[in-house]
C-alpha cells in the first residue's frame, strides 16, 4: 500500500465503521457489493440486506458527514439486461434479468433520490468487466483473471453455453483514469458507461487471447447456459468521451498480456505461512 494512502478496514454493514471512514472526506467512491451475478439469485433477500440496505446507510452517513460528491459504481454488464441495440447507451432501458442487476439498479435509484432530496452531488458509473493486475481469481468472478490462472495451471475452464456470449472488457488503469476525471466533473450528466470502446469479446475470444498470450491450449469444460447471461452486452462510451475526454488507452490484448504477466509474477512469490 502506498504510504500516502490511509487504509481503514471494516465491515460495510457496520454503521460506526462507515461513519468513521467518512470523517473529513468530501468525495466518496462506492464500489462495495456483497454478491456477484452468479450468487445473487441464490439468496435474493441476503443480497438486499447486505448490499442495498448498507448502501442506503452509506448515503445517510454521507449527508450527515457533509460529503459533497458520491460516485457509485454500478454494473454496465447487468443493469441493462437483454437489449435490442448494441452498443448500449446510457439512455437504453434498464431491464435486468438477474437479482444482481436488480439490486444494483435499486441502489442507483436511491443514489438519485438522495441527490434530489438532500443535494448530494451523485454520479453513477455503469462499468463493464474490469480486468488487470490484483484481480484475484476467486468465486468464478472475473473471466480474464479466472481463466488466465486456470490455463496457466493446466486446469479446466468452464464455458457456459456455446461461448458466443459477447461482453465488454476494460483495463483497470483506464477505469482509474476515468474515476480521476469524474472527481472534478461539473457537467450535467449523471450516468456514464465505462467500457472498452470496441465491439466486445466473446467468451471464446477471451480464452483464445489468453491462449495466444501464454502459448498454451485451454482445457474447456462445457456447461449449459445460465439464466442471467444475455447474448451480448457492449457499452457505448460516447458520453464519457464527449463530457470527460476519456477513452481507454489500453487495448484488450495489451491488457491481457499485462494481466497474465502480473499473475505469473504474483504466484511465483514465496508465500508466508
Amino acid at each position: 500500500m502506498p504510504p500516502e494512502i490511509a487504509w481503514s478496514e471494516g465491515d460495510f454493514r457496520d454503521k460506526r465503521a462507515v461513519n468513521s471512514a467518512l470523517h473529513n472526506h468530501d468525495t466518496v467512491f462506492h464500489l462495495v457489493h456483497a454478491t456477484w451475478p452468479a450468487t445473487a439469485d441464490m439468496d435474493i433477500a441476503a443480497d438486499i440486506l447486505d448490499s442495498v440496505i448498507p448502501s442506503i446507510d452509506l448515503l445517510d452517513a454521507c449527508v450527515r458527514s457533509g460529503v459533497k460528491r458520491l460516485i457509485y459504481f454500478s454494473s454496465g454488464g447487468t443493469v441493462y439486461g437483454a437489449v435490442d441495440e448494441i452498443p448500449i447507451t446510457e439512455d437504453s432501458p434498464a431491464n435486468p434479468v438477474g437479482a444482481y442487476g436488480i439490486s444494483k439498479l435499486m441502489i442507483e435509484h436511491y443514489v438519485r433520490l438522495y441527490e434530489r432530496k438532500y443535494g448530494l452531488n451523485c454520479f453513477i458509473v455503469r462499468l463493464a468487466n474490469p480486468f488487470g493486475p490484483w484481480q484475484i481469481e476467486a468465486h468464478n468472478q472475473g473471466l480474464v483473471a479466472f481463466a488466465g490462472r486456470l490455463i496457466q495451471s493446466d486446469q479446466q475452464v468452464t464455458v457456459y453455453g456455446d461461448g458466443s456470449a459477447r461482453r465488454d472488457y476494460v483495463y483497470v488503469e483506464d477505469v482509474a483514469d476515468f474515476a480521476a476525471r469524474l472527481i472534478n466533473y461539473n457537467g450535467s450528466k449523471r450516468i456514464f458507461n465505462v467500457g472498452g470502446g470496441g465491439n466486445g469479446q466473446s467468451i471464446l475470444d477471451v480464452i483464445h487471447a489468453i491462449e495466444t498470450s501464454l502459448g498454451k491450449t485451454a482445457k474447456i469444460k462445457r456447461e449449459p447456459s445460465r439464466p442471467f447471461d444475455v447474448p451480448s452486452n457492449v457499452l457505448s462510451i460516447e458520453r464519457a468521451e464527449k463530457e470527460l475526454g476519456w477513452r481507454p488507452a489500453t487495448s484488450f490484448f495489451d491488457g491481457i498480456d499485462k494481466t497474465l504477466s502480473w499473475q505469473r509474477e504474483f504466484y511465483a512469490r514465496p508465500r508466508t505461512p
Side-chain angles (χ1 to χ4, degrees):
M1 183 68 67
E4 64 271 19
I5 295 178
W7 178 264
S8 176
E9 186 171 349
D11 191 321
F12 184 50
R13 297 165 297 185
D14 183 344
K15 293 183 182 182
R16 293 177 63 182
V18 171
N19 286 331
S20 176
L22 293 180
H23 184 63
N24 287 334
H25 293 290
D26 58 11
T27 300
V28 170
F29 288 91
H30 176 10
L31 298 99
V32 180
H33 206 85
T35 63
W36 51 94
T39 63
D41 283 357
M42 297 177 184
D43 193 339
I44 294 173
D47 187 34
I48 294 171
L49 287 171
D50 294 337
S51 300
V52 179
I53 292 177
S55 294
I56 297 170
D57 291 337
L58 171 64
L59 289 165
D60 282 330
C62 286
V63 172
R64 289 194 303 269
S65 300
V67 168
K68 295 180 173 58
R69 178 171 299 223
L70 180 134
I71 298 170
Y72 172 57
F73 275 72
S74 185
S75 169
T78 62
V79 299
Y80 292 111
V83 296
D84 295 327
E85 293 185 5
I86 297 291
I88 304 167
T89 73
E90 291 86 350
D91 296 323
S92 298
N95 294 306
V97 297
Y100 180 87
I102 291 172
S103 59
K104 281 285 191 179
L105 189 58
M106 287 174 64
I107 296 169
E108 285 191 18
H109 284 302
Y110 284 114
V111 166
R112 288 194 285 264
L113 172 65
Y114 273 68
E115 180 165 52
R116 293 192 301 269
K117 189 172 182 179
Y118 298 107
L120 183 62
N121 202 15
C122 295
F123 299 90
I124 293 165
V125 180
R126 289 178 174 168
L127 182 62
N129 295 278
F131 72 99
W134 292 105
Q135 186 177 39
I136 305 299
E137 83 297 342
H139 311 298
N140 292 337
Q141 186 180 25
L143 176 61
V144 173
F146 194 68
R149 179 61 177 159
L150 291 176
I151 294 170
Q152 287 189 70
S153 56
D154 296 313
Q155 299 180 63
Q156 286 186 327
V157 179
T158 300
V159 173
Y160 295 95
D162 63 4
S164 65
R166 186 167 294 274
R167 297 291 180 267
D168 203 346
Y169 297 88
V170 58
Y171 190 63
V172 64
E173 289 183 4
D174 293 322
V175 178
D177 176 46
F178 174 85
R181 293 174 187 236
L182 194 55
I183 291 175
N184 297 311
Y185 172 71
N186 293 310
S188 62
K189 302 301 182 183
R190 287 296 181 265
I191 301 175
F192 290 92
N193 287 339
V194 173
N199 297 318
Q201 309 288 333
S202 74
I203 306 303
L204 293 181
D205 287 339
V206 174
I207 292 173
H208 180 64
I210 294 171
E211 290 176 320
T212 301
S213 182
L214 294 175
K216 300 186 70 170
T217 300
K219 298 175 181 178
I220 295 177
K221 177 184 178 183
R222 301 282 183 172
E223 293 286 351
S225 298
R226 300 172 296 184
F228 54 82
D229 287 329
V230 297
S232 184
N233 181 281
V234 180
L235 304 178
S236 167
I237 59 169
E238 185 177 330
R239 178 177 291 179
E241 186 172 16
K242 180 179 178 181
E243 296 288 324
L244 293 161
W246 176 86
R247 281 193 66 84
T250 309
S251 73
F252 174 73
F253 299 101
D254 286 345
I256 288 284
D257 288 341
K258 291 179 180 180
T259 302
L260 297 176
S261 176
W262 175 84
Q263 272 194 342
R264 285 192 296 270
E265 293 178 7
F266 179 78
Y267 288 102
R269 299 172 189 170
R271 293 290 180 263
T272 55

